[in-house]
Amino acid sequence: MEKMNKESRPFPPKASGSDTASSAPGHAPANGAVPDQATAGLFRSLDNSLAHTISAASEWMIGQQKPDGHWVGPVASNASMEAEWCLALWFLGLEDHPLRPRLGRALLEMQREDGSWGIYYGSGNGDINATVESYAALRSLGYAADQPELSRAAAWIASKGGLKNIRVFTRYWLALIGEWPWEKTPNLPPEVIWFPNSFVFSIYNFAQWARATLVPLAILSARRPARPLRPQDRLDALFPGGRERFDYELPRRGGRDLWASFFRTTDRGLHWLQSRFLKRNTMREAAIRHMLEWIIRHQDADGGWGGIQPPWVYGLMALHGEDYQFHHPVMAKALSALDDPGWRHDRGDASWIQATNSPVWDTMLALMALHDARAEDRFTPEMDKALGWLLDHQVRVKGDWSIKLPDVEPGGWAFEYANDRYPDTDDTAVALIALSSCRHRPEWQARGVGEAITRGVNWLVAMQSTSGGWGAFDKDNNRALLAKIPFCDFGEALDPPSVDVTAHVLEAFGLLGLPRDMPAIRRGLAYIRAEQAADGAWFGRWGVNYLYGTGAVLPALAAIGEDMTQPYIARACDWLRSRQQDNGGWGESCASYMDIASIGHGQATPSQTAWALMGLIAANRTQDHEAIARGCRFLIDLQRPDGSWDEKEFTGTGFPGYGVGQNIRLDDPALSKRLQQGAELSRAFMLRYDLYRQFFPVMALSRASRLLKAAG
């Protein structure tokens, strides 16, 4: 394994003028191409307005900084978050919790005109799962079935085929409130906690988010608890033919799949065993105790689990079912997190509980943006405070990733305020990019920035998967068989390598001056090249979508010193130019994860325009300069008087909904039936990171400004 230490001096000595990441190849024009006369005129026309736009945007960002130096913006997702917390508090016997009516009002604010609730802003259709869960939550609050909002929701649900089409998680929620038989939900035997790591069904072969959710759900599945709604609040309207005639079976996926059929049969067998032999079996009780210990051991410092909503809400209910009282420290901490502003967002008489929080990610992106804007001289104290905050948040303890890598020293960064069990490679790579700007300054060297960077690099090298790419949370998390079990009909069960994460890692290595012939870089580059689509674009796993993937890859290639005149890079640039809109911007809908016609198309947004610009600027082809100038003009004209941009669209990706966690063919005519989702993305989980609208335009415009200066 490649490894670095302080003695090996892995980072090259400071060269004249090379202190900043913005002078490195990934953040500046790559090949010195000079614009033609007409394009140079376009650039010059931007000069004053470009400088003003960057300055105003930087000032706005500084105004959003928290007193301790970090940044964090709201993270929007979908109504299932509020609905599930509302139902969870009912299940816990906390029906009078003051948060519940506020969640109900948030649900009503999010309801679409047709009565449904959707997965992302601007989706053409609502989502059956979010709509059923929201309907159930409002009924638990006492909203009458004939109230207009609820009658419209019930009518919409019926128009989409009713409850037979809901996902596994929604079935679990209905079982918890007495509206669905537990025997008709996928069985999760707690004994899986004992499976060896070499066995395909070990919990450590599931993705981080699936693993942390599976453990408490297995306890609930074994116990089959329910707190039925009041008789007058039952969901009778969703069973128009009567419950006794309703078919509770999971719908079969399209196509013939022997493994899926095998697992469905196995699931029925597990239910039979549980009903007859395993209710209070000694081995089962021991497995549940082991799982409870796992849950308690994995609780985050802020009271949640895994930095995300599902293991937090299911963990609370599982512990409650095992007689953990609300005053127990673990329970008290978990419940108090509902009042934590890091998780909760209040507006008027409504409240939202976020699916996650993003302070570490937001802070490093803010630093990158301000550094690209050359704002150090104007905002030295603010940026130094942020650098210190980021340095202090390096994870120095082992997490689940170490099950496969027991001899590797910790050195990553997590996404959230408190998630030491699950640092991720994407945050770690971008943290290294942010810290690279200060690594030669004596005061930061004295604070250990060099050692922190070395730990981060070593951890990333160890986390590289066999394919040459990087997954987000684990190495080689790619057992596709797991996606076929009935439980895994949600989002993604796996965390295989992705192009965008791999690109960020390579960009970090390049900006740190690591040698291009380093095996990790060579293997990562080979992985990226192998993943390029025929039209030249790259898929975006953690951002929407091909604009994100392509916009991440091109700066990474420039950063590691790749020859940016190669044909495969030209194809990527040509693809970006082909997707530019008449207004100069770029946009891509979340629907692109299922609809081929939506790839590279959608409402133009500040963040996606910036991603495309950064890709074209990294390649710095003369023929792209006009497109770059037009993209800059789009951002300049779109900026608000206070220096910010507005963006309602969701450009962040949680799960595309494929199950296997990676790109798949969209031209399969049976795909929608097999995945049980269309462009509404019923299996997916989409996000809007509020500050993307600011960070990425500042980066793109700042890099364009340097291109303008190079043009003379």
Side-chain angles (χ1 to χ4, degrees):
M1 178 187 297
E2 305 157 75
K3 190 171 182 179
M4 300 177 182
N5 52 49
K6 287 182 283 186
E7 289 73 22
S8 65
R9 297 180 60 83
F11 309 112
K14 176 181 175 182
S16 175
S18 66
D19 184 39
T20 66
S22 57
S23 65
H27 289 174
N31 54 30
V34 177
D36 59 31
Q37 188 171 359
T39 308
L42 275 174
F43 277 163
R44 283 192 292 272
S45 72
L46 297 175
D47 196 4
N48 291 334
S49 54
L50 193 60
H52 173 78
T53 300
I54 295 168
S55 176
S58 300
E59 290 178 5
W60 185 91
M61 285 174 55
I62 291 296
Q64 306 303 306
Q65 190 178 26
K66 302 298 182 184
D68 65 355
H70 79 282
W71 280 266
V72 65
V75 181
S77 55
N78 66 73
S80 287
M81 298 299 101
E82 287 67 44
E84 290 173 4
W85 274 115
C86 195
L87 293 172
L89 291 169
W90 166 267
F91 174 85
L92 294 170
L94 300 175
E95 62 267 33
D96 295 327
H97 194 290
L99 181 60
R100 276 190 12 107
R102 297 184 63 87
L103 294 171
R105 284 187 278 272
L107 289 173
L108 293 176
E109 285 190 24
M110 289 186 283
Q111 189 177 26
R112 294 156 49 104
E113 288 186 7
D114 63 3
S116 70
W117 282 263
I119 293 298
Y120 58 93
Y121 177 84
S123 60
N125 294 307
D127 168 50
I128 186 71
N129 305 298
T131 302
V132 169
E133 291 175 15
S134 297
Y135 180 91
L138 291 170
R139 293 289 285 136
S140 80
L141 285 164
Y143 285 83
D146 59 358
Q147 187 164 326
E149 294 87 349
L150 273 76
S151 59
R152 283 191 289 119
W156 186 92
I157 292 167
S159 74
K160 301 302 178 183
L163 295 180
K164 68 179 182 180
N165 294 318
I166 60 175
R167 64 180 177 176
V168 163
F169 277 129
T170 304
R171 293 166 187 248
Y172 284 135
W173 280 105
L174 294 184
L176 288 163
I177 59 172
E179 297 289 334
W180 200 273
W182 271 105
E183 295 80 3
K184 297 299 183 180
T185 64
N187 191 284
L188 289 173
E191 291 79 7
V192 299
I193 195 73
W194 287 327
F195 287 167
N197 301 330
S198 57
F199 186 43
V200 64
F201 295 108
S202 164
I203 64 170
Y204 295 102
N205 286 325
F206 288 88
Q208 169 263 333
W209 52 86
R211 177 190 322 139
T213 301
L214 181 155
V215 172
L217 260 177
I219 296 175
L220 293 169
S221 179
R223 298 300 196 207
R224 299 178 176 175
R227 186 183 181 220
L229 298 177
R230 298 181 305 169
Q232 65 269 32
D233 296 330
R234 298 289 303 277
L235 310 186
D236 296 338
L238 303 188
F239 296 90
R243 297 168 194 271
E244 64 281 356
R245 290 192 294 274
F246 185 81
D247 181 7
Y248 292 95
E249 295 293 334
L250 281 169
R252 291 189 176 274
R253 301 175 185 178
R256 294 188 62 187
D257 190 322
L258 293 178
W259 276 114
S261 297
F262 169 78
F263 288 132
R264 287 172 68 96
T265 302
T266 301
D267 186 68
R268 287 193 291 271
L270 289 171
H271 275 295
W272 182 84
L273 284 171
Q274 177 166 330
S275 298
R276 285 158 178 78
F277 303 109
L278 296 177
K279 284 186 178 179
R280 291 289 173 180
N281 177 275
T282 302
M283 181 179 292
R284 168 139 297 186
E285 293 304 308
I288 289 175
R289 285 196 299 273
H290 196 163
M291 283 194 152
L292 290 169
E293 292 168 2
W294 193 97
I295 292 170
I296 292 169
R297 191 167 63 248
H298 278 73
Q299 188 176 32
D300 296 331
D302 65 357
W305 278 272
I308 52 177
Q309 182 261 14
W312 177 16
V313 70
Y314 293 121
L316 257 173
M317 292 189 293
L319 291 169
H320 174 71
E322 299 304 304
D323 294 328
Y324 281 74
Q325 303 301 305
F326 296 136
H327 61 263
H328 186 283
V330 173
M331 295 289 285
K333 191 192 298 188
L335 285 168
S336 68
L338 289 170
D339 296 322
D340 185 337
W343 287 102
R344 175 172 165 173
H345 173 61
D346 294 333
R347 188 177 69 222
D349 58 358
S351 292
W352 288 258
I353 304 297
Q354 297 184 163
T356 187
N357 51 60
S358 57
V360 180
W361 183 245
D362 286 347
T363 299
M364 57 184 69
L365 291 176
L367 282 167
M368 284 181 62
L370 291 169
H371 185 64
D372 269 328
R374 304 246 171 110
E376 282 91 346
D377 290 342
R378 290 178 64 195
F379 303 118
T380 300
E382 293 88 351
M383 292 182 68
D384 279 355
K385 185 179 287 189
L387 284 166
W389 188 92
L390 182 61
L391 190 61
D392 291 342
H393 278 73
Q394 187 173 32
V395 176
R396 301 293 303 278
V397 297
K398 290 189 174 184
D400 283 5
W401 58 267
S402 66
I403 297 296
K404 292 183 178 179
L405 298 168
D407 299 323
V408 173
E409 180 187 8
W413 275 262
F415 186 80
E416 305 89 351
Y417 282 109
N419 191 15
D420 284 356
R421 290 281 180 176
Y422 300 111
D424 68 272
T425 58
D426 209 10
D427 277 87
T428 302
V430 179
L432 295 178
I433 294 172
L435 291 175
S436 69
S437 66
C438 70
R439 72 187 191 276
H440 297 303
R441 288 166 55 186
E443 65 270 30
W444 288 105
Q445 290 175 342
R447 289 190 58 174
V449 69
E451 293 84 351
I453 290 173
T454 297
R455 284 191 297 269
V457 169
N458 288 339
W459 187 74
L460 285 174
V461 169
M463 291 286 285
Q464 188 172 27
S465 291
T466 304
S467 66
W470 277 266
F473 294 93
D474 287 289
K475 177 176 182 172
D476 291 330
N477 192 269
N478 54 5
R479 303 288 189 96
L481 185 64
L482 294 175
K484 297 180 182 296
I485 66 176
F487 165 72
C488 294
D489 82 333
F490 64 93
E492 313 298 334
L494 304 173
D495 179 22
S498 67
V499 165
D500 38 306
V501 173
T502 301
H504 291 153
V505 174
L506 294 190
E507 184 176 6
F509 287 178
L511 295 178
L512 290 170
L514 301 184
R516 192 177 183 281
D517 61 355
M518 178 180 174
I521 293 178
R522 286 193 284 105
R523 293 173 56 223
L525 176 59
Y527 168 81
I528 283 177
R529 295 200 59 170
E531 291 292 314
Q532 188 177 26
D535 62 5
W538 279 276
F539 175 74
R541 167 61 184 85
W542 296 98
V544 183
N545 174 350
Y546 285 86
L547 288 176
Y548 183 72
T550 308
V553 167
L554 291 173
L557 297 177
I560 62 172
E562 184 78 340
D563 177 2
M564 300 300 283
T565 65
Q566 294 180 81
Y568 84 98
I569 293 174
R571 291 201 308 276
C573 294
D574 290 345
W575 182 85
L576 285 174
R577 285 178 60 198
S578 75
R579 294 306 192 267
Q580 189 172 29
Q581 299 179 15
D582 291 342
N583 61 12
W586 281 265
E588 186 170 14
S589 168
C590 299
S592 62
Y593 284 108
M594 286 296 293
D595 176 28
I596 292 177
S598 296
I599 292 175
H601 298 290
Q603 178 69 38
T605 67
S607 61
Q608 291 170 319
T609 298
W611 297 337
L613 283 173
M614 288 190 285
L616 293 176
I617 291 167
N620 192 21
R621 301 189 311 169
T622 300
Q623 60 265 46
D624 298 334
H625 287 167
E626 181 182 357
I628 292 170
R630 291 176 56 225
C632 290
R633 173 53 63 189
F634 171 81
L635 290 177
I636 291 168
D637 292 345
L638 203 63
Q639 190 181 38
R640 296 162 61 175
D642 65 356
S644 69
W645 284 269
D646 188 33
E647 184 170 286
K648 295 179 180 178
E649 289 73 21
F650 283 33
T651 63
T653 307
F655 312 130
Y658 301 157
V660 293
Q662 60 189 11
N663 194 13
I664 61 174
R665 287 182 53 190
L666 297 185
D667 57 358
D668 177 359
L671 181 65
S672 184
K673 184 176 181 181
R674 178 164 57 83
L675 293 183
Q676 296 169 353
Q677 75 168 2
E680 85 292 335
L681 301 184
S682 284
R683 283 181 49 147
F685 193 81
M686 309 308 297
L687 298 158
R688 182 179 69 237
Y689 297 108
D690 184 61
L691 294 179
Y692 272 20
R693 62 190 168 97
Q694 198 74 15
F695 299 149
F696 291 110
V698 172
M699 293 182 205
L701 293 175
S702 298
R703 297 178 195 186
S705 176
R706 288 193 290 281
L707 187 67
L708 184 154
K709 289 181 172 60

